[in-house]
Amino acid sequence: KLSENAGYGIDKILGWEKLTGKTVTFESDMLISTVTYPLASTKDSRNAGENSGEIEKQSTRERLIALIKENPRITRASLSQQLGISSSNVQFHIERLKSEGIIQRVGSPRNGHWKFPSE
């Protein structure tokens, strides 16, 4: 059972590079393995520090909106894969956008599409 789970999540680890543009490094010896996730650089270094988490959220939010605009019928699973984030994180951002009135779901969950009421 341990060997079955040994490789679980490697695809998500490697997704870090897609998400941030930075390469994850692996170092290992007989006793310990280390995985290093370099932080993504922010475009505006003046806002680094306390607001860096907020910048990342805005970036994910902007990319989410752009993907929905490109394909209003896009699924949450596809958004999760393309953004390199979990489906629950996609759900969080979508719920927030819906509550702010930025996006709206039209039709059924299976056959519906996203709409931007302000456009």
Side-chain angles (χ1 to χ4, degrees), residues 6-46:
Y8 183 73
I10 295 295
D11 58 329
K12 296 207 180 353
I13 291 170
L14 298 176
W16 185 257
E17 183 173 350
K18 186 189 249 185
L19 180 66
T20 64
K22 305 285 184 176
T23 304
V24 176
T25 58
F26 299 89
E27 295 176 22
S28 185
D29 60 26
M30 294 299 281
L31 298 176
I32 192 165
S33 295
T34 305
V35 181
T36 305
Y37 296 88
L39 295 175
S41 351
T42 59
K43 291 179 184 172
D44 186 358
S45 60
R46 293 175 295 161

Side-chain angles (χ1 to χ4, degrees), residues 75-92:
T75 64
R76 290 182 175 131
S78 183
L79 286 167
S80 172
Q81 183 182 21
Q82 290 183 44
L83 293 170
I85 61 176
S86 68
S87 57
S88 60
N89 202 347
V90 169
Q91 179 69 27
F92 168 80

Side-chain angles (χ1 to χ4, degrees), residues 68 72 97-98 101-107 113-117:
I68 292 172
L97 291 169
K98 285 173 28 180
I102 295 170
I103 62 172
Q104 185 177 48
R105 186 72 179 175
V106 178
H113 64 277
W114 297 105
K115 176 182 166 185
F116 292 86

